[in-house]
Amino acid sequence: MLVVMKQSATDDEIGRVVDTIETMGYEARPIPGRQRTAVGLVGNDGRVDSARLEGLPGVLEVIAVSHPYKQVSREWKADDTIVTLDNGTRIGGAEIVIMAGPCAVESEEQIVGVAHTLRRMGATILRGGAFKPRTSPYSFQGLGEEGLRYLARAREETGLAIITEAIDAEGVEVVGEYADIIQIGARNMQNYPLLRRAGRYGKPVMLKRGMSATIKELLLAAEYLLAEGNSRVILCERGVRSFDTHTRNLLDLTAIPVVQSLSHLPIIADPSHGTGLRSKVTPMARAAVAAGADGLMIEVHPEPDHALSDGAQSLYPEQFEELMRQIAVIGQALDRKILSLPAMASP
Ligand code: PEP
Ligand code: MN
């Protein structure tokens, strides 16, 4: 339920609404908006008697939120959420944000080296898994905390922000210590203890769509993060399972406009996992920008043929550079620029 205040409502009147909600045994979440403030009511799992709230001074109207993912919904918050990082990157605004890097951190030279290359080519966020959720227990599982330290080194040298995955609830603290954005992977989209821990931790979280999750399930998983008080959440479409075997997954580009109409959260696309094939990444990245994605996550490896994971879908750096040129042109047609960091001072 949402209590929408009049434009003229005073702080005292908003405070009284908050107090009343709390006296009724629920939690109140004030949501300042461009036009007016609203106060959200959470903690109810059924109908709430709105009469007490409707009569309070300063209240314009009381709206029942019809979606089960209420704090994630546009009904709850009409304005787009913009997630701002320490290096100035804003995700969800007018500009398109590019995250790029190898699937996994493999060594200090690999991640720091590729970070410099990607920074020069226009990425603002460096990706790289230190804890890898692999389909086979015998595949490379990541360097763990050592990998996180290499990522931090790469950030120090380049100014790129870091996104890296936490694969379980216990891992949130250590990943959160190093990362600017904590990634929750497709296999963990409905790992509720992990979602709750990441929600409470408070750092920005990027939540990837499960490989057989509906959009509603994705939004409900995001609701867990917001319910814990973390509204700095980014969604990621990374492809779903299909009956066709030509690609690893089916990148569901419709999810972009659908999510944007249902939710205020930013949504980015990952055509690397979405296709699983290097030659299909660039076309689908172009299409995702055309579909209105707030950003892209692209796997790039300095030597894809020797990558310890996902080499077949990783771009060569030169291919990434060409992709950056192409999406800049597509962005222009939509009046959107690719977000860039200020030029680095030469050493
Ligand atoms: C990844 O980003 O490397 C990854 C494992 O992605 P997903 O969770 O989408 O499979
Ligand atoms: Mn990968």
Side-chain angles (χ1 to χ4, degrees):
M1 180 171 285
L2 202 59
V3 183
V4 182
M5 305 301 296
K6 292 179 184 158
Q7 240 169 345
S8 59
T10 63
D11 286 349
D12 280 352
E13 286 168 343
I14 295 168
R16 192 147 158 216
V17 169
V18 170
D19 290 345
T20 309
I21 290 174
E22 286 170 356
T23 325
M24 289 161 77
Y26 306 114
E27 220 180 295
R29 296 265 168 94
I31 314 160
R34 259 191 313 226
Q35 302 287 336
R36 48 172 63 94
T37 292
V39 184
L41 181 154
V42 289
N44 61 310
D45 62 5
R47 264 190 60 78
V48 174
D49 180 14
S50 59
R52 251 175 99 176
L53 295 162
E54 271 157 355
L56 293 175
V59 171
L60 179 69
E61 59 178 337
V62 178
I63 307 173
V65 179
S66 57
H67 295 297
Y69 41 85
K70 60 178 164 182
Q71 296 190 58
V72 161
S73 74
R74 283 249 181 232
E75 284 175 310
W76 187 268
K77 180 170 177 276
D79 300 340
D80 290 342
T81 286
I82 298 178
V83 177
T84 304
L85 308 179
D86 288 349
N87 75 346
T89 298
R90 287 159 49 88
I91 308 160
E95 292 167 308
I96 299 161
V97 176
I98 308 300
M99 313 177 176
C103 182
V105 180
E106 297 169 3
S107 69
E108 183 168 6
E109 304 72 62
Q110 174 234 24
I111 197 69
V112 174
V114 81
H116 281 284
T117 308
L118 296 168
R119 168 75 160 95
R120 191 162 30 79
M121 295 175 175
T124 57
I125 302 175
L126 176 67
R127 64 147 289 143
F131 297 93
K132 293 303 303 173
R134 302 305 300 279
T135 303
S136 162
Y138 308 117
S139 301
F140 176 60
Q141 306 283 312
L143 296 180
E145 191 167 357
E146 187 188 351
L148 296 176
R149 282 195 292 272
Y150 299 157
L151 283 166
R153 184 75 211 274
R155 172 177 49 209
E156 223 174 87
E157 287 200 17
T158 62
L160 293 173
I162 300 299
I163 179 165
T164 190
E165 180 167 357
I167 56 173
D168 48 32
E170 301 70 47
V172 166
E173 320 287 312
V174 65
V175 169
E177 223 180 279
Y178 295 88
D180 297 284
I181 305 175
I182 300 172
Q183 176 171 320
I184 296 184
R187 290 160 190 77
N188 270 317
M189 189 201 84
Q190 287 177 313
N191 178 338
Y192 300 117
L194 171 58
L195 292 170
R196 286 200 189 279
R197 189 78 71 90
R200 280 199 298 274
Y201 192 77
K203 271 213 171 163
V205 174
M206 187 176 87
L207 179 63
K208 298 185 89 172
R209 181 179 182 183
M211 47 192 98
S212 54
T214 62
I215 292 172
K216 184 175 172 186
E217 286 164 341
L218 171 66
L219 296 175
L220 278 167
E223 186 76 14
Y224 272 80
L225 297 161
L226 276 81
E228 293 295 334
N230 187 355
S231 54
R232 296 199 292 165
V233 174
I234 303 143
L235 303 173
C236 177
E237 165 56 43
R238 49 77 73 203
V240 291
R241 279 277 153 82
S242 96
F243 47 82
D244 200 303
T245 52
H246 280 90
T247 54
R248 180 177 177 185
N249 290 298
L250 176 68
L251 187 66
D252 176 11
L253 290 180
T254 332
I256 295 165
V258 170
V259 164
Q260 285 170 341
S261 63
L262 296 174
S263 175
H264 51 85
L265 296 176
I267 176 154
I268 71 143
D270 170 355
S272 304
H273 295 86
T275 64
L277 298 166
R278 183 179 307 129
S279 63
K280 308 296 178 282
V281 172
T282 296
M284 295 316 285
R286 292 191 300 243
V289 169
D294 293 300
L296 297 174
M297 169 172 265
I298 307 286
E299 285 189 339
V300 183
H301 195 286
E303 292 178 297
D305 304 333
H306 297 114
L308 296 181
S309 66
D310 286 349
Q313 67 193 35
S314 300
L315 295 188
Y316 288 88
E318 314 80 74
Q319 293 179 309
F320 175 71
E321 192 170 29
E322 177 58 19
L323 167 64
M324 291 297 283
R325 262 195 296 274
Q326 295 181 0
I327 58 176
V329 178
I330 296 170
Q332 235 168 23
L334 302 166
D335 272 336
R336 298 187 78 188
K337 283 205 173 77
I338 310 294
L339 183 83
S340 59
L341 294 176
M344 285 192 59
S346 31

